[in-house]
Amino acid sequence: MCISVVLPAKNEAGAVGETIRKVRKTIPDAEIIVVDDGSTDQTASFSAAAGALVVSHPYCKGNGSAIKTGARAATKKVIVFMDADGQHNPEDIPRLLASIQDGHDMVVGARQKGSQASIGRSFANGLYNCIASWITGHNIEDLTSGFRAVRAERFREFLYLLPNGFSYPTTSTMAFFRAGYSVAYVPIHTAKRIGKSHIRILRDGSRFLIIIFKIGTLFSPLKIFAPVALGMVTLASAWYGWTWWHQSRFTNMSALLYTGGVMVFLMGLISEQITALMYKDSGGKT
């Protein structure tokens, strides 16, 4: 299989060379692309010395931006994205590719218990998986894993949606599900990263949640709007019941909540139709 391996890297001089050599040993004919995202160390020179094609950003643009640069630079039909910090085992790549050969459009390396960096991050990822599974209607085993193989043509359809920060896995996974493309999961175990993590739990965790809901409103709006509308109507009915029992009257607050609930629901319907129009040329499998 013709494969491009893309490694986004920022100040990963301590691990990137060894990672490239392991990839080359596992997949000798792979095109290896390192996207140097404004590193201030020797990431670029060590990557080139190990035999990778290096594409450098003049300044730090973010992990998602590096992924987009790598996807545009890749020339093969299948792209494997993985971290350059030593967490992902290149020996797992053939297992991802086997699922691609079985007909899947995206195959994600799903981290198993004991592979998370901390209990807090494990809990947060579990929460993200549950919310995203509810929004998409599919079981999502690992929403934030950066180790995945994709069909390049499919992946490039969604480059304009990918944010420049640490959430390209979230956006791409939910986009593939919404477009009706096939997504599979392969269990993996990750090692402790070499060097310091660039992710901050509170800052990036809140961004992940916002992105999940943004993508939810973009790809399945009624999953967001309908519960809000139902909550407003339920609250209006409860308030109406209480005021009628105690004051024998229908209040302006109940009227406002009922009206708001109907408006929110109608906004969800309109958003759903707009979303369907967005995907009329994306395989037609919404």
Side-chain angles (χ1 to χ4, degrees):
M1 188 181 294
C2 296
I3 306 159
S4 295
V5 179
V6 173
L7 296 92
K10 178 186 177 184
N11 295 332
E12 300 291 357
V16 68
E18 184 62 22
T19 300
I20 293 169
R21 284 186 283 272
K22 288 181 179 179
V23 172
R24 183 66 69 196
K25 180 180 179 180
T26 305
I27 312 290
D29 297 328
E31 174 186 54
I32 303 177
I33 301 172
V34 172
V35 182
D36 175 25
D37 188 31
S39 297
T40 56
D41 61 5
Q42 294 178 293
T43 295
S45 59
F46 286 179
S47 299
L53 170 66
V54 179
V55 181
S56 296
H57 288 170
Y59 56 88
C60 178
K61 298 181 181 181
N63 178 261
S65 180
I67 288 294
K68 289 186 277 190
T69 297
R72 294 185 183 108
T75 62
K76 306 303 182 182
K77 292 184 177 180
V78 175
I79 304 175
V80 174
F81 297 105
M82 61 184 296
D83 293 344
D85 56 16
Q87 287 192 85
H88 299 147
N89 185 359
E91 294 180 0
D92 289 325
I93 293 177
R95 297 198 295 130
L96 302 184
L97 298 179
S99 290
I100 291 288
Q101 289 180 317
D102 287 340
H104 296 290
D105 298 298
M106 172 184 285
V107 183
V108 181
R111 294 163 293 183
Q112 303 302 291
K113 290 184 177 180
S115 294
Q116 303 290 349
S118 65
I119 295 177
R121 185 173 295 181
S122 178
F123 173 79
N125 286 337
L127 177 62
Y128 302 152
N129 294 342
C130 290
I131 295 174
S133 296
W134 167 67
I135 290 175
T136 61
H138 297 275
N139 181 39
I140 295 180
E141 297 181 24
D142 194 339
L143 182 66
T144 60
S145 173
F147 190 22
R148 55 188 61 207
V150 300
R151 295 189 186 276
E153 182 182 5
R154 299 279 192 259
F155 188 80
R156 291 192 184 105
E157 291 180 21
F158 306 108
L159 287 185
Y160 72 99
L161 288 174
L162 302 185
N164 289 334
F166 282 101
S167 53
Y168 99 86
T170 302
T171 306
S172 60
T173 299
M174 298 179 75
F176 267 61
F177 275 123
R178 176 58 186 179
Y181 295 143
S182 178
V183 179
Y185 293 89
V186 171
I188 63 168
H189 290 277
T190 58
K192 185 177 180 181
R193 67 164 285 130
I194 298 174
K196 187 178 180 181
S197 174
H198 303 297
I199 296 180
R200 299 293 178 266
I201 297 296
L202 293 179
R203 182 196 65 187
D204 293 311
S206 60
R207 289 179 181 176
F208 280 133
L209 275 177
I210 291 173
I211 286 171
I212 289 173
F213 284 110
K214 285 175 64 178
I215 297 301
T217 56
L218 183 60
F219 294 110
S220 187
L222 276 179
K223 287 290 184 74
I224 305 297
F225 284 93
V228 173
L230 180 61
M232 295 179 71
V233 171
T234 301
L235 184 59
S237 300
W239 182 253
Y240 176 36
W242 189 88
T243 55
W244 182 262
W245 179 262
H246 291 279
Q247 303 174 15
S248 300
R249 67 190 184 93
F250 180 76
T251 64
N252 292 336
M253 179 59 71
S254 294
L256 180 62
L257 288 171
Y258 276 125
T259 303
V262 172
M263 292 180 64
V264 169
F265 180 72
L266 292 177
M267 289 173 60
L269 283 179
I270 294 173
S271 299
E272 194 76 23
Q273 298 305 312
I274 294 173
T275 298
L277 291 174
M278 287 176 55
Y279 279 85
K280 65 183 180 68
D281 296 323
S282 297
K285 297 180 286 185
T286 59

